[in-house]
Short mmCIF file of all heavy atoms in Angstrom, two decimals:
data_model
loop_
_atom_site.label_atom_id
_atom_site.label_comp_id
_atom_site.label_asym_id
_atom_site.label_seq_id
_atom_site.Cartn_x
_atom_site.Cartn_y
_atom_site.Cartn_z
N LEU A 1 0.81 -1.19 0.00
CA LEU A 1 0.00 0.00 0.00
C LEU A 1 0.86 1.26 0.00
O LEU A 1 0.51 2.23 -0.66
CB LEU A 1 -0.93 0.00 1.22
CG LEU A 1 -1.93 -1.17 1.31
CD1 LEU A 1 -2.64 -1.16 2.65
CD2 LEU A 1 -2.91 -1.11 0.18
N SER A 2 1.97 1.22 0.79
CA SER A 2 2.86 2.39 0.83
C SER A 2 4.20 2.02 1.45
O SER A 2 4.33 1.00 2.12
CB SER A 2 2.22 3.53 1.63
OG SER A 2 2.09 3.16 2.98
N VAL A 3 5.18 2.89 1.21
CA VAL A 3 6.50 2.77 1.83
C VAL A 3 6.93 4.16 2.25
O VAL A 3 6.93 5.09 1.44
CB VAL A 3 7.55 2.17 0.88
CG1 VAL A 3 8.91 2.11 1.56
CG2 VAL A 3 7.13 0.79 0.40
N ASP A 4 7.28 4.32 3.52
CA ASP A 4 7.79 5.58 4.04
C ASP A 4 9.07 5.29 4.81
O ASP A 4 9.20 4.24 5.43
CB ASP A 4 6.78 6.23 4.99
CG ASP A 4 5.49 6.61 4.28
OD1 ASP A 4 5.56 7.37 3.31
OD2 ASP A 4 4.42 6.11 4.69
N THR A 5 10.01 6.23 4.77
CA THR A 5 11.26 6.06 5.50
C THR A 5 11.39 7.14 6.56
O THR A 5 11.25 8.33 6.25
CB THR A 5 12.46 6.12 4.54
OG1 THR A 5 12.30 5.12 3.53
CG2 THR A 5 13.76 5.87 5.29
N VAL A 6 11.63 6.72 7.80
CA VAL A 6 11.82 7.62 8.92
C VAL A 6 13.00 7.11 9.73
O VAL A 6 13.01 5.94 10.15
CB VAL A 6 10.56 7.69 9.82
CG1 VAL A 6 10.81 8.60 11.01
CG2 VAL A 6 9.35 8.14 9.02
N ASP A 7 13.99 7.96 9.95
CA ASP A 7 15.17 7.60 10.75
C ASP A 7 15.81 6.28 10.31
O ASP A 7 16.11 5.40 11.12
CB ASP A 7 14.81 7.52 12.24
CG ASP A 7 14.37 8.85 12.80
OD1 ASP A 7 14.87 9.90 12.32
OD2 ASP A 7 13.52 8.87 13.72
N LYS A 8 15.99 6.13 9.00
CA LYS A 8 16.65 4.97 8.39
C LYS A 8 15.87 3.66 8.51
O LYS A 8 16.41 2.59 8.31
CB LYS A 8 18.07 4.81 8.92
CG LYS A 8 18.97 5.98 8.55
CD LYS A 8 20.39 5.53 8.46
CE LYS A 8 21.22 6.64 7.86
NZ LYS A 8 21.99 6.22 6.74
N ILE A 9 14.58 3.76 8.85
CA ILE A 9 13.71 2.58 8.87
C ILE A 9 12.65 2.77 7.80
O ILE A 9 11.94 3.77 7.78
CB ILE A 9 13.05 2.38 10.25
CG1 ILE A 9 14.10 2.15 11.32
CG2 ILE A 9 12.05 1.21 10.20
CD1 ILE A 9 13.54 2.08 12.73
N ALA A 10 12.55 1.78 6.91
CA ALA A 10 11.51 1.80 5.88
C ALA A 10 10.27 1.12 6.46
O ALA A 10 10.34 -0.02 6.93
CB ALA A 10 11.98 1.07 4.64
N TYR A 11 9.17 1.83 6.46
CA TYR A 11 7.89 1.29 6.93
C TYR A 11 7.11 0.84 5.69
O TYR A 11 6.68 1.67 4.90
CB TYR A 11 7.12 2.34 7.72
CG TYR A 11 7.78 2.65 9.04
CD1 TYR A 11 8.81 3.59 9.11
CD2 TYR A 11 7.41 1.99 10.19
CE1 TYR A 11 9.44 3.86 10.31
CE2 TYR A 11 8.04 2.25 11.40
CZ TYR A 11 9.05 3.19 11.45
OH TYR A 11 9.68 3.46 12.64
N VAL A 12 6.97 -0.47 5.54
CA VAL A 12 6.31 -1.05 4.38
C VAL A 12 4.91 -1.47 4.80
O VAL A 12 4.75 -2.38 5.62
CB VAL A 12 7.10 -2.26 3.84
CG1 VAL A 12 6.37 -2.88 2.65
CG2 VAL A 12 8.51 -1.84 3.46
N ASN A 13 3.92 -0.80 4.27
CA ASN A 13 2.53 -1.07 4.61
C ASN A 13 1.92 -1.92 3.50
O ASN A 13 1.81 -1.47 2.36
CB ASN A 13 1.77 0.24 4.76
CG ASN A 13 0.35 0.04 5.22
OD1 ASN A 13 0.00 -0.99 5.80
ND2 ASN A 13 -0.48 1.02 4.96
N ILE A 14 1.54 -3.17 3.83
CA ILE A 14 0.99 -4.06 2.82
C ILE A 14 -0.45 -4.43 3.15
O ILE A 14 -0.88 -4.35 4.30
CB ILE A 14 1.84 -5.33 2.64
CG1 ILE A 14 1.91 -6.11 3.94
CG2 ILE A 14 3.24 -4.99 2.18
CD1 ILE A 14 2.61 -7.43 3.80
N SER A 15 -1.17 -4.84 2.14
CA SER A 15 -2.56 -5.25 2.29
C SER A 15 -2.62 -6.66 2.88
O SER A 15 -1.78 -7.51 2.57
CB SER A 15 -3.24 -5.24 0.92
OG SER A 15 -4.51 -5.84 1.00
N PRO A 16 -3.63 -6.93 3.70
CA PRO A 16 -3.77 -8.28 4.26
C PRO A 16 -4.29 -9.30 3.24
O PRO A 16 -4.26 -10.50 3.51
CB PRO A 16 -4.75 -8.09 5.41
CG PRO A 16 -5.54 -6.89 5.04
CD PRO A 16 -4.61 -6.01 4.26
N LYS A 17 -4.74 -8.84 2.09
CA LYS A 17 -5.25 -9.76 1.07
C LYS A 17 -4.15 -10.69 0.58
O LYS A 17 -3.01 -10.26 0.34
CB LYS A 17 -5.80 -8.99 -0.13
CG LYS A 17 -7.11 -8.34 0.12
CD LYS A 17 -7.65 -7.75 -1.16
CE LYS A 17 -9.05 -7.23 -0.95
NZ LYS A 17 -9.64 -6.76 -2.20
N ASN A 18 -4.48 -11.94 0.46
CA ASN A 18 -3.58 -12.97 -0.08
C ASN A 18 -2.34 -13.21 0.77
O ASN A 18 -1.32 -13.66 0.24
CB ASN A 18 -3.18 -12.64 -1.53
CG ASN A 18 -4.36 -12.54 -2.44
OD1 ASN A 18 -5.28 -13.34 -2.36
ND2 ASN A 18 -4.36 -11.53 -3.30
N LEU A 19 -2.39 -12.90 2.05
CA LEU A 19 -1.25 -13.19 2.92
C LEU A 19 -1.42 -14.60 3.49
O LEU A 19 -1.99 -14.80 4.56
CB LEU A 19 -1.16 -12.19 4.07
CG LEU A 19 -0.59 -10.83 3.75
CD1 LEU A 19 -0.52 -9.98 5.01
CD2 LEU A 19 0.78 -10.94 3.12
N SER A 20 -0.94 -15.55 2.76
CA SER A 20 -0.99 -16.93 3.23
C SER A 20 0.21 -17.66 2.67
O SER A 20 0.77 -17.28 1.65
CB SER A 20 -2.29 -17.60 2.79
OG SER A 20 -2.36 -17.65 1.38
N GLY A 21 0.60 -18.69 3.37
CA GLY A 21 1.73 -19.48 2.91
C GLY A 21 2.44 -20.10 4.09
O GLY A 21 2.18 -19.79 5.25
N GLY A 22 3.35 -20.96 3.78
CA GLY A 22 4.13 -21.64 4.81
C GLY A 22 5.30 -20.79 5.26
O GLY A 22 5.48 -19.64 4.83
N SER A 23 6.11 -21.38 6.11
CA SER A 23 7.24 -20.65 6.68
C SER A 23 8.26 -20.26 5.61
O SER A 23 8.87 -19.20 5.69
CB SER A 23 7.90 -21.46 7.79
OG SER A 23 8.36 -22.70 7.30
N LEU A 24 8.43 -21.11 4.59
CA LEU A 24 9.38 -20.77 3.53
C LEU A 24 8.90 -19.56 2.74
O LEU A 24 9.69 -18.65 2.45
CB LEU A 24 9.59 -21.96 2.59
CG LEU A 24 10.56 -21.72 1.43
CD1 LEU A 24 11.95 -21.34 1.95
CD2 LEU A 24 10.64 -22.95 0.54
N THR A 25 7.62 -19.52 2.40
CA THR A 25 7.06 -18.38 1.67
C THR A 25 7.23 -17.10 2.48
O THR A 25 7.63 -16.06 1.95
CB THR A 25 5.57 -18.62 1.36
OG1 THR A 25 5.45 -19.79 0.57
CG2 THR A 25 4.95 -17.43 0.64
N GLU A 26 6.94 -17.18 3.77
CA GLU A 26 7.07 -16.00 4.63
C GLU A 26 8.52 -15.56 4.74
O GLU A 26 8.82 -14.37 4.62
CB GLU A 26 6.49 -16.29 6.01
CG GLU A 26 6.46 -15.09 6.91
CD GLU A 26 5.75 -15.37 8.22
OE1 GLU A 26 5.49 -16.54 8.55
OE2 GLU A 26 5.46 -14.38 8.92
N THR A 27 9.42 -16.50 4.93
CA THR A 27 10.85 -16.18 5.03
C THR A 27 11.35 -15.50 3.77
O THR A 27 12.02 -14.45 3.83
CB THR A 27 11.67 -17.46 5.29
OG1 THR A 27 11.28 -18.02 6.54
CG2 THR A 27 13.16 -17.16 5.32
N LEU A 28 11.03 -16.07 2.62
CA LEU A 28 11.51 -15.50 1.35
C LEU A 28 10.91 -14.13 1.08
O LEU A 28 11.60 -13.23 0.60
CB LEU A 28 11.22 -16.46 0.20
CG LEU A 28 11.97 -17.79 0.25
CD1 LEU A 28 11.51 -18.71 -0.87
CD2 LEU A 28 13.47 -17.57 0.20
N THR A 29 9.64 -13.95 1.41
CA THR A 29 8.99 -12.65 1.22
C THR A 29 9.67 -11.58 2.06
O THR A 29 10.01 -10.50 1.58
CB THR A 29 7.49 -12.74 1.57
OG1 THR A 29 6.88 -13.71 0.72
CG2 THR A 29 6.80 -11.40 1.41
N LEU A 30 9.87 -11.88 3.34
CA LEU A 30 10.50 -10.91 4.24
C LEU A 30 11.95 -10.64 3.85
O LEU A 30 12.41 -9.49 3.87
CB LEU A 30 10.40 -11.38 5.68
CG LEU A 30 8.98 -11.39 6.26
CD1 LEU A 30 8.96 -12.08 7.62
CD2 LEU A 30 8.41 -9.99 6.36
N GLN A 31 12.68 -11.69 3.48
CA GLN A 31 14.07 -11.50 3.06
C GLN A 31 14.16 -10.61 1.84
O GLN A 31 15.03 -9.74 1.77
CB GLN A 31 14.74 -12.84 2.77
CG GLN A 31 15.18 -13.58 4.00
CD GLN A 31 15.87 -14.89 3.67
OE1 GLN A 31 15.71 -15.45 2.58
NE2 GLN A 31 16.64 -15.40 4.62
N GLN A 32 13.30 -10.80 0.88
CA GLN A 32 13.32 -9.97 -0.33
C GLN A 32 13.04 -8.51 0.00
O GLN A 32 13.70 -7.61 -0.52
CB GLN A 32 12.32 -10.48 -1.36
CG GLN A 32 12.87 -11.58 -2.22
CD GLN A 32 14.17 -11.21 -2.88
OE1 GLN A 32 15.16 -11.92 -2.71
NE2 GLN A 32 14.24 -10.15 -3.64
N LEU A 33 12.06 -8.27 0.86
CA LEU A 33 11.77 -6.89 1.28
C LEU A 33 12.97 -6.26 1.95
O LEU A 33 13.39 -5.16 1.61
CB LEU A 33 10.57 -6.86 2.24
CG LEU A 33 9.19 -6.99 1.64
CD1 LEU A 33 8.15 -7.14 2.75
CD2 LEU A 33 8.87 -5.80 0.77
N VAL A 34 13.54 -6.97 2.91
CA VAL A 34 14.67 -6.43 3.68
C VAL A 34 15.90 -6.26 2.79
O VAL A 34 16.53 -5.19 2.78
CB VAL A 34 14.99 -7.32 4.89
CG1 VAL A 34 16.28 -6.89 5.58
CG2 VAL A 34 13.83 -7.30 5.88
N TYR A 35 16.25 -7.27 2.01
CA TYR A 35 17.45 -7.19 1.18
C TYR A 35 17.33 -6.11 0.11
O TYR A 35 18.29 -5.40 -0.17
CB TYR A 35 17.76 -8.54 0.54
CG TYR A 35 18.49 -9.49 1.44
CD1 TYR A 35 18.11 -9.68 2.76
CD2 TYR A 35 19.57 -10.22 0.99
CE1 TYR A 35 18.78 -10.54 3.60
CE2 TYR A 35 20.26 -11.09 1.82
CZ TYR A 35 19.86 -11.25 3.12
OH TYR A 35 20.53 -12.10 3.94
N SER A 36 16.15 -5.99 -0.48
CA SER A 36 15.97 -4.98 -1.53
C SER A 36 16.02 -3.57 -0.96
O SER A 36 16.73 -2.70 -1.48
CB SER A 36 14.63 -5.19 -2.24
OG SER A 36 14.64 -6.40 -2.94
N LEU A 37 15.29 -3.32 0.12
CA LEU A 37 15.22 -1.96 0.66
C LEU A 37 16.50 -1.52 1.36
O LEU A 37 16.85 -0.35 1.31
CB LEU A 37 14.01 -1.83 1.59
CG LEU A 37 12.67 -1.86 0.85
CD1 LEU A 37 11.52 -1.96 1.84
CD2 LEU A 37 12.51 -0.63 -0.02
N THR A 38 17.21 -2.46 1.99
CA THR A 38 18.46 -2.06 2.66
C THR A 38 19.60 -1.85 1.68
O THR A 38 20.69 -1.44 2.08
CB THR A 38 18.86 -3.07 3.75
OG1 THR A 38 18.99 -4.37 3.18
CG2 THR A 38 17.86 -3.08 4.89
N GLU A 39 19.37 -2.08 0.40
CA GLU A 39 20.35 -1.70 -0.62
C GLU A 39 20.40 -0.18 -0.76
O GLU A 39 21.39 0.37 -1.23
CB GLU A 39 19.99 -2.31 -1.98
CG GLU A 39 20.40 -3.75 -2.13
CD GLU A 39 21.91 -3.93 -2.16
OE1 GLU A 39 22.60 -3.20 -2.90
OE2 GLU A 39 22.41 -4.80 -1.42
N LEU A 40 19.33 0.49 -0.37
CA LEU A 40 19.29 1.95 -0.40
C LEU A 40 20.08 2.52 0.77
O LEU A 40 19.98 2.03 1.89
CB LEU A 40 17.84 2.44 -0.33
CG LEU A 40 16.89 1.91 -1.41
CD1 LEU A 40 15.45 2.27 -1.07
CD2 LEU A 40 17.30 2.45 -2.77
N ASP A 41 20.86 3.55 0.52
CA ASP A 41 21.70 4.14 1.57
C ASP A 41 20.89 4.66 2.75
O ASP A 41 21.36 4.64 3.89
CB ASP A 41 22.54 5.29 1.00
CG ASP A 41 23.63 4.79 0.06
OD1 ASP A 41 24.03 3.61 0.17
OD2 ASP A 41 24.06 5.57 -0.80
N GLU A 42 19.68 5.12 2.49
CA GLU A 42 18.88 5.73 3.56
C GLU A 42 18.07 4.72 4.37
O GLU A 42 17.33 5.09 5.27
CB GLU A 42 17.94 6.80 2.99
CG GLU A 42 16.93 6.29 1.99
CD GLU A 42 17.41 6.32 0.54
OE1 GLU A 42 18.61 6.40 0.28
OE2 GLU A 42 16.55 6.24 -0.33
N VAL A 43 18.25 3.40 4.11
CA VAL A 43 17.49 2.38 4.83
C VAL A 43 18.42 1.39 5.50
O VAL A 43 19.26 0.77 4.86
CB VAL A 43 16.52 1.62 3.88
CG1 VAL A 43 15.80 0.50 4.62
CG2 VAL A 43 15.53 2.57 3.23
N GLU A 44 18.28 1.24 6.82
CA GLU A 44 19.05 0.26 7.59
C GLU A 44 18.18 -0.91 8.05
O GLU A 44 18.71 -1.97 8.37
CB GLU A 44 19.69 0.92 8.81
CG GLU A 44 20.79 1.88 8.46
CD GLU A 44 21.41 2.54 9.68
OE1 GLU A 44 20.94 2.29 10.81
OE2 GLU A 44 22.37 3.31 9.50
N ALA A 45 16.86 -0.70 8.15
CA ALA A 45 15.96 -1.73 8.63
C ALA A 45 14.58 -1.53 8.00
O ALA A 45 14.29 -0.47 7.47
CB ALA A 45 15.86 -1.68 10.15
N VAL A 46 13.76 -2.58 8.09
CA VAL A 46 12.43 -2.55 7.50
C VAL A 46 11.40 -2.97 8.54
O VAL A 46 11.53 -4.04 9.15
CB VAL A 46 12.35 -3.51 6.28
CG1 VAL A 46 10.94 -3.55 5.71
CG2 VAL A 46 13.36 -3.11 5.22
N GLN A 47 10.41 -2.13 8.74
CA GLN A 47 9.27 -2.46 9.61
C GLN A 47 8.09 -2.78 8.71
O GLN A 47 7.63 -1.93 7.96
CB GLN A 47 8.92 -1.30 10.54
CG GLN A 47 7.70 -1.55 11.40
CD GLN A 47 7.92 -2.68 12.40
OE1 GLN A 47 8.79 -2.57 13.26
NE2 GLN A 47 7.18 -3.75 12.27
N VAL A 48 7.62 -4.01 8.77
CA VAL A 48 6.49 -4.43 7.96
C VAL A 48 5.20 -4.16 8.73
O VAL A 48 5.06 -4.56 9.89
CB VAL A 48 6.59 -5.92 7.57
CG1 VAL A 48 5.39 -6.35 6.75
CG2 VAL A 48 7.88 -6.19 6.82
N LEU A 49 4.29 -3.47 8.08
CA LEU A 49 2.97 -3.18 8.64
C LEU A 49 1.93 -3.86 7.76
O LEU A 49 2.10 -3.96 6.56
CB LEU A 49 2.71 -1.68 8.66
CG LEU A 49 3.75 -0.80 9.34
CD1 LEU A 49 3.45 0.67 9.09
CD2 LEU A 49 3.81 -1.10 10.82
N VAL A 50 0.87 -4.32 8.39
CA VAL A 50 -0.24 -4.91 7.64
C VAL A 50 -1.45 -4.01 7.84
O VAL A 50 -1.90 -3.81 8.97
CB VAL A 50 -0.55 -6.34 8.11
CG1 VAL A 50 -1.73 -6.91 7.33
CG2 VAL A 50 0.68 -7.24 7.93
N ASP A 51 -1.91 -3.44 6.74
CA ASP A 51 -3.04 -2.51 6.77
C ASP A 51 -2.80 -1.37 7.77
O ASP A 51 -3.69 -0.97 8.51
CB ASP A 51 -4.33 -3.26 7.08
CG ASP A 51 -5.53 -2.66 6.38
OD1 ASP A 51 -5.35 -1.83 5.46
OD2 ASP A 51 -6.66 -3.00 6.77
N GLY A 52 -1.54 -0.90 7.82
CA GLY A 52 -1.18 0.25 8.64
C GLY A 52 -0.82 -0.03 10.09
O GLY A 52 -0.51 0.88 10.84
N SER A 53 -0.84 -1.30 10.51
CA SER A 53 -0.57 -1.63 11.91
C SER A 53 0.52 -2.70 12.03
O SER A 53 0.66 -3.56 11.17
CB SER A 53 -1.83 -2.18 12.58
OG SER A 53 -2.85 -1.24 12.55
N LYS A 54 1.25 -2.64 13.16
CA LYS A 54 2.19 -3.71 13.46
C LYS A 54 1.40 -4.97 13.76
O LYS A 54 0.36 -4.93 14.41
CB LYS A 54 3.05 -3.36 14.68
CG LYS A 54 4.11 -2.33 14.42
CD LYS A 54 4.98 -2.17 15.64
CE LYS A 54 6.07 -1.16 15.41
NZ LYS A 54 6.94 -1.04 16.60
N GLN A 55 1.90 -6.09 13.26
CA GLN A 55 1.29 -7.39 13.51
C GLN A 55 2.35 -8.31 14.10
O GLN A 55 3.54 -8.08 13.93
CB GLN A 55 0.76 -7.99 12.21
CG GLN A 55 -0.29 -7.14 11.52
CD GLN A 55 -1.57 -7.06 12.31
OE1 GLN A 55 -2.05 -8.05 12.84
NE2 GLN A 55 -2.13 -5.86 12.41
N GLU A 56 1.90 -9.36 14.75
CA GLU A 56 2.85 -10.31 15.32
C GLU A 56 3.65 -11.01 14.22
O GLU A 56 4.84 -11.24 14.35
CB GLU A 56 2.13 -11.34 16.18
CG GLU A 56 3.09 -12.20 16.96
CD GLU A 56 2.40 -13.06 17.98
OE1 GLU A 56 1.37 -12.64 18.54
OE2 GLU A 56 2.90 -14.16 18.24
N SER A 57 2.98 -11.38 13.13
CA SER A 57 3.67 -12.00 12.01
C SER A 57 2.93 -11.71 10.71
O SER A 57 1.79 -11.26 10.72
CB SER A 57 3.81 -13.51 12.21
OG SER A 57 2.57 -14.14 12.07
N LEU A 58 3.59 -11.99 9.61
CA LEU A 58 3.01 -11.75 8.30
C LEU A 58 2.08 -12.90 7.88
O LEU A 58 0.97 -12.69 7.44
CB LEU A 58 4.14 -11.59 7.27
CG LEU A 58 3.78 -11.08 5.90
CD1 LEU A 58 3.18 -9.69 5.97
CD2 LEU A 58 5.02 -11.06 5.02
N MET A 59 2.56 -14.13 8.07
CA MET A 59 1.79 -15.31 7.68
C MET A 59 1.71 -16.34 8.80
O MET A 59 1.37 -17.50 8.56
CB MET A 59 2.40 -15.95 6.43
CG MET A 59 2.38 -15.06 5.22
SD MET A 59 3.22 -15.85 3.82
CE MET A 59 3.45 -14.45 2.75
N GLY A 60 2.09 -15.94 10.02
CA GLY A 60 1.97 -16.84 11.16
C GLY A 60 3.21 -17.57 11.60
O GLY A 60 3.13 -18.45 12.46
N HIS A 61 4.39 -17.23 11.03
CA HIS A 61 5.59 -18.00 11.35
C HIS A 61 6.75 -17.17 11.90
O HIS A 61 7.52 -17.66 12.70
CB HIS A 61 6.08 -18.75 10.10
CG HIS A 61 5.02 -19.57 9.45
ND1 HIS A 61 4.61 -20.77 9.94
CD2 HIS A 61 4.27 -19.33 8.36
CE1 HIS A 61 3.64 -21.26 9.18
NE2 HIS A 61 3.42 -20.40 8.20
N ILE A 62 6.89 -15.93 11.46
CA ILE A 62 8.05 -15.11 11.82
C ILE A 62 7.56 -13.81 12.46
O ILE A 62 6.69 -13.13 11.92
CB ILE A 62 8.90 -14.80 10.57
CG1 ILE A 62 9.42 -16.10 9.97
CG2 ILE A 62 10.06 -13.86 10.91
CD1 ILE A 62 10.10 -15.94 8.63
N THR A 63 8.14 -13.46 13.59
CA THR A 63 7.76 -12.25 14.30
C THR A 63 8.23 -11.01 13.54
O THR A 63 9.39 -10.92 13.14
CB THR A 63 8.37 -12.23 15.72
OG1 THR A 63 7.91 -13.39 16.40
CG2 THR A 63 7.99 -10.99 16.48
N ILE A 64 7.30 -10.06 13.35
CA ILE A 64 7.63 -8.82 12.65
C ILE A 64 7.24 -7.59 13.49
O ILE A 64 6.99 -6.52 12.96
CB ILE A 64 6.95 -8.75 11.27
CG1 ILE A 64 5.42 -8.86 11.38
CG2 ILE A 64 7.52 -9.81 10.34
CD1 ILE A 64 4.67 -8.54 10.10
N LEU A 65 7.23 -7.76 14.81
CA LEU A 65 6.86 -6.64 15.69
C LEU A 65 7.93 -5.56 15.72
O LEU A 65 7.65 -4.41 15.99
CB LEU A 65 6.58 -7.14 17.10
CG LEU A 65 5.28 -7.93 17.26
CD1 LEU A 65 5.21 -8.58 18.64
CD2 LEU A 65 4.08 -7.04 17.02
N GLU A 66 9.18 -5.93 15.44
CA GLU A 66 10.30 -4.99 15.43
C GLU A 66 10.86 -4.89 14.02
O GLU A 66 10.70 -5.81 13.21
CB GLU A 66 11.40 -5.48 16.38
CG GLU A 66 10.98 -5.58 17.83
CD GLU A 66 10.63 -4.24 18.45
OE1 GLU A 66 11.28 -3.23 18.10
OE2 GLU A 66 9.70 -4.20 19.26
N PRO A 67 11.54 -3.79 13.71
CA PRO A 67 12.16 -3.67 12.39
C PRO A 67 13.14 -4.81 12.11
O PRO A 67 13.85 -5.27 13.02
CB PRO A 67 12.89 -2.33 12.45
CG PRO A 67 12.16 -1.56 13.50
CD PRO A 67 11.72 -2.59 14.51
N LEU A 68 13.16 -5.27 10.88
CA LEU A 68 14.04 -6.36 10.47
C LEU A 68 15.27 -5.79 9.77
O LEU A 68 15.18 -4.86 8.99
CB LEU A 68 13.31 -7.31 9.52
CG LEU A 68 12.03 -7.94 10.07
CD1 LEU A 68 11.29 -8.69 8.97
CD2 LEU A 68 12.36 -8.87 11.21
N ARG A 69 16.42 -6.43 10.05
CA ARG A 69 17.68 -6.05 9.41
C ARG A 69 18.24 -7.25 8.65
O ARG A 69 17.80 -8.38 8.87
CB ARG A 69 18.69 -5.61 10.47
CG ARG A 69 18.31 -4.30 11.16
CD ARG A 69 19.19 -4.02 12.36
NE ARG A 69 19.15 -2.68 12.89
CZ ARG A 69 18.10 -1.97 13.21
NH1 ARG A 69 16.91 -2.44 13.01
NH2 ARG A 69 18.18 -0.76 13.72
N ARG A 70 19.20 -7.02 7.82
CA ARG A 70 19.81 -8.12 7.06
C ARG A 70 20.34 -9.22 7.98
O ARG A 70 20.28 -10.38 7.64
CB ARG A 70 20.96 -7.61 6.19
CG ARG A 70 20.48 -6.92 4.95
CD ARG A 70 21.65 -6.48 4.10
NE ARG A 70 21.15 -5.96 2.86
CZ ARG A 70 21.52 -6.39 1.67
NH1 ARG A 70 22.43 -7.34 1.57
NH2 ARG A 70 21.00 -5.87 0.58
N GLU A 71 20.85 -8.85 9.13
CA GLU A 71 21.42 -9.80 10.05
C GLU A 71 20.37 -10.73 10.66
O GLU A 71 20.68 -11.79 11.17
CB GLU A 71 22.16 -9.11 11.20
CG GLU A 71 23.27 -8.18 10.77
CD GLU A 71 22.76 -6.81 10.33
OE1 GLU A 71 21.85 -6.24 10.97
OE2 GLU A 71 23.27 -6.30 9.33
N ASP A 72 19.11 -10.28 10.64
CA ASP A 72 18.03 -11.08 11.24
C ASP A 72 17.75 -12.24 10.33
O ASP A 72 17.34 -13.24 10.53
CB ASP A 72 16.77 -10.24 11.44
CG ASP A 72 17.01 -9.10 12.41
OD1 ASP A 72 17.89 -9.18 13.26
OD2 ASP A 72 16.28 -8.10 12.29
#
């Protein structure tokens, strides 16, 4: 839905539609978001939001309450 950057954290707001899959799907989705956005000099971490709010996980397997970094 949107991407905003504040204090070197990219806030990625995605729609809850079609958010389903196993742990591998969730891992690869989050890794792609983090790896792609942290290629930008102004981004050190990515906070994933679902419909504008922090959620415990994207698809039920990986915690996304805190910003994610490449090291995670």
Side-chain angles (χ1 to χ4, degrees):
L1 299 172
S2 66
V3 178
D4 296 302
T5 303
V6 177
D7 296 329
K8 295 208 171 233
I9 298 174
Y11 291 85
V12 178
N13 184 22
I14 60 174
S15 170
K17 286 187 173 185
N18 301 318
L19 283 183
S20 62
S23 59
L24 180 59
T25 300
E26 186 174 13
T27 298
L28 295 175
T29 300
L30 292 171
Q31 281 181 339
Q32 275 306 123
L33 283 172
V34 172
Y35 278 46
S36 295
L37 289 170
T38 57
E39 280 293 312
L40 303 170
D41 290 336
E42 62 270 18
V43 176
E44 291 179 357
V46 176
Q47 176 66 62
V48 179
L49 306 172
V50 178
D51 213 14
S53 300
K54 286 186 179 182
Q55 301 293 317
E56 189 170 328
S57 71
L58 191 61
M59 298 176 195
H61 307 283
I62 299 171
T63 302
I64 58 169
L65 288 171
E66 298 296 324
L68 302 171
R69 292 170 165 50
R70 282 182 173 235
E71 302 81 41
D72 297 334

